[in-house]
């Protein structure tokens, strides 16, 4: 099979396509012939040497794929060779084949082009794990999403709206805010010229903040919360350290939650994927949510794809066509 590895720490030019042995389906696993893979922030951070791999991860990049089942291991039920599927991975998605535990595999949503379905697994599972489960979202609540137009943002806006919530977003340009509005965002904040905490306070505050920034936003996130609000931090683009005002945290009866998805156990990921099947997939199939795909690159053009991802100019997901 072909697979992308980064043998040197550095920029997109360090990514190389190599020939490797085909994977075999172990007990409880399936092998997927990959049609497409999604790019994620973790891939870029891993390439830069700033993401220690979980113990069961390979150095092949890629956390989500779409494709067709080509081999089934012992003990697997509910899947057949030839089934169109999507999968959440610990690694291995930038390739033509991957072996993955069957609990992390879902049938591809009906009505979605199988290539484009690669944009779904990581963002859907992340949002379910952090907004629905950790954040305990309830209908009518306000969710602030930092980064309106990445994969998480574009999908999260639609999900919260479909579940009956109000969405606030931050972004750096009018173009990105316009795209967020088109997807259904209610409160649009350009963080380059407006204090998002003050704006959210004027709008009544946020019940949940999905935070990809970390330390640099900790104090303002707390200022933006309603009483009993929840900050769920899933990224550290603004640094790993911040000053927490415990007095304000206590006055607001608030919670600060930090989570990761990639290093969770197979059992935990299986639970999250089951909840994703229950909550998200029906909304995709009835047209309430759609995967926003910005651009598709051939697997051999992976360095160019990473360059574009790192630019931050994309709106939605960037995919690799693993057949090209």
């Amino acid at each position: 099979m072909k697979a992308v590895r980064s043998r040197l720490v550095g920029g997109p030019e360090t990514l190389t396509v190599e020939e490797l042995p085909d994977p075999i389906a172990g007990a409880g696993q399936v092998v997927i012939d990959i049609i497409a893979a999604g790019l994620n922030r973790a891939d870029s951070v891993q390439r830069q040497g700033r993401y220690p791999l979980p113990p069961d991860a390979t150095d092949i990049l890629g956390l989500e794929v779409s494709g067709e089942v080509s081999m089934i291991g012992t003990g697997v039920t509910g899947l057949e060779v030839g089934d169109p599927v999507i999968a959440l991975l610990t690694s291995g998605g930038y390739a033509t084949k991957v072996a993955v535990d069957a609990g992390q595999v879902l049938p591809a949503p009906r009505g979605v082009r199988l290539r484009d379905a690669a944009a779904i697994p990581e963002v859907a599972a992340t949002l379910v794990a952090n907004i629905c489960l950790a954040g305990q979202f309830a209908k009518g609540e306000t969710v602030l999403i930092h980064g309106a137009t990445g994969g998480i943002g574009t999908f999260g806006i639609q999900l919260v709206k479909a579940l009956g919530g109000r969405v606030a977003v931050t972004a750096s340009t009018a173009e990105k805010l316009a795209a967020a509005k088109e997807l259904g965002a209610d409160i649009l904040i350009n963080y380059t010229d407006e204090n998002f905490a003050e704006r959210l306070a004027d709008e009544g505050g946020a019940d949940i903040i999905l935070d990809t920034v970390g330390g640099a936003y900790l104090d303002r996130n707390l200022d933006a919360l309603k009483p009993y609000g929840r900050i769920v931090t899933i990224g550290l683009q603004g640094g790993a350290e911040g000053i927490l005002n415990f007095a304000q945290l206590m006055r607001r009866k608030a919670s600060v939650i930090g989570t990761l998805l990639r290093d969770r156990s197979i059992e935990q990921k299986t639970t999250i994927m089951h909840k994703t099947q229950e909550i998200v997939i029906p909304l995709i199939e009835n047209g309430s949510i759609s995967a926003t795909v910005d651009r598709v690159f051939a697997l051999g053009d992976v360095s160019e794809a990473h360059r574009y991802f790192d630019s931050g100019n994309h709106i939605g997901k960037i995919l690799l066509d693993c057949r090209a």
Side-chain angles (χ1 to χ4, degrees):
M1 71 172 188
K2 293 180 180 179
V4 175
R5 304 167 84 179
S6 180
R7 293 187 176 275
L8 299 172
V9 171
E13 70 280 356
T14 64
L15 299 174
T16 58
V17 180
E18 303 180 13
E19 288 286 346
L20 297 173
D22 288 351
I24 302 296
Q29 292 185 326
V30 299
V31 170
I32 299 170
D33 285 353
I34 299 171
I35 287 178
L39 271 66
N40 289 278
R41 178 67 56 188
D43 303 333
S44 178
V45 177
Q46 178 180 330
R47 188 201 74 223
Q48 296 167 41
R50 297 189 289 112
Y51 199 130
L53 293 179
D56 58 342
T58 73
D59 62 356
I60 301 170
L61 279 73
L63 304 181
E64 60 185 338
V65 297
S66 62
E68 296 179 349
V69 175
S70 61
M71 184 184 298
I72 296 178
T74 58
V76 174
T77 59
L79 291 170
E80 302 289 342
V81 170
D83 283 353
V85 294
I86 58 175
L88 177 72
L89 310 175
T90 304
S91 59
Y94 291 13
T96 52
K97 293 178 179 286
V98 68
V100 57
D101 190 90
Q104 295 168 218
V105 179
L106 295 179
R110 294 185 299 271
V112 179
R113 184 180 182 184
L114 189 52
R115 186 199 70 181
D116 293 348
I120 295 170
E122 176 72 15
V123 294
T126 295
L127 290 159
V128 167
N130 294 292
I131 290 180
C132 299
L133 299 180
Q136 293 293 295
F137 171 81
K139 185 177 181 179
E141 289 191 319
T142 297
V143 178
L144 169 60
I145 300 174
H146 288 305
T149 54
I152 295 291
T154 54
F155 204 89
I157 292 166
Q158 297 176 79
L159 178 61
V160 173
K161 294 297 292 183
L163 295 176
R166 185 173 70 145
V167 183
V169 297
T170 61
S172 60
T173 68
E175 178 188 13
K176 290 183 176 183
L177 290 175
K181 183 178 181 180
E182 183 72 20
L183 290 168
D186 303 286
I187 302 168
L188 310 171
I189 305 168
N190 187 325
Y191 65 79
T192 65
D193 58 21
E194 188 172 11
N195 184 313
F196 72 83
E198 292 178 358
R199 175 71 181 281
L200 258 294
D202 291 342
E203 298 279 357
D207 297 283
I208 300 171
I209 298 176
L210 189 65
D211 173 35
T212 57
V213 179
Y217 272 10
L218 180 56
D219 55 344
R220 280 175 284 173
N221 280 337
L222 193 53
D223 287 341
L225 280 183
K226 287 182 180 180
Y228 300 97
R230 291 84 74 196
I231 300 169
V232 186
T233 298
I234 63 171
L236 299 173
Q237 296 177 39
E241 297 182 358
I243 297 174
L244 177 60
N245 184 329
F246 278 98
Q248 188 170 2
L249 183 74
M250 293 163 68
R251 283 195 300 270
R252 293 185 186 274
K253 298 90 176 170
S255 303
V256 179
I257 304 163
T259 74
L260 289 172
L261 180 61
R262 187 177 189 181
D263 64 354
R264 297 196 194 202
S265 67
I266 291 171
E267 293 75 19
Q268 290 172 324
K269 289 180 181 176
T270 297
T271 297
I272 290 167
M273 291 301 276
H274 285 168
K275 295 299 290 186
T276 300
Q277 175 78 57
E278 174 188 326
I279 296 169
V280 178
I281 300 303
L283 296 172
I284 294 173
E285 292 184 338
N286 71 20
S288 299
I289 301 175
S290 61
T292 304
V293 177
D294 180 288
R295 196 172 296 184
V296 181
F297 292 83
L299 184 67
D301 294 329
V302 62
S303 293
E304 185 181 347
H306 266 242
R307 246 177 237 107
Y308 182 55
F309 183 93
D310 289 351
S311 76
N313 292 328
H314 55 288
I315 294 176
K317 294 288 291 191
I318 300 167
L319 302 182
L320 293 175
D321 187 332
C322 296
R323 303 163 298 179

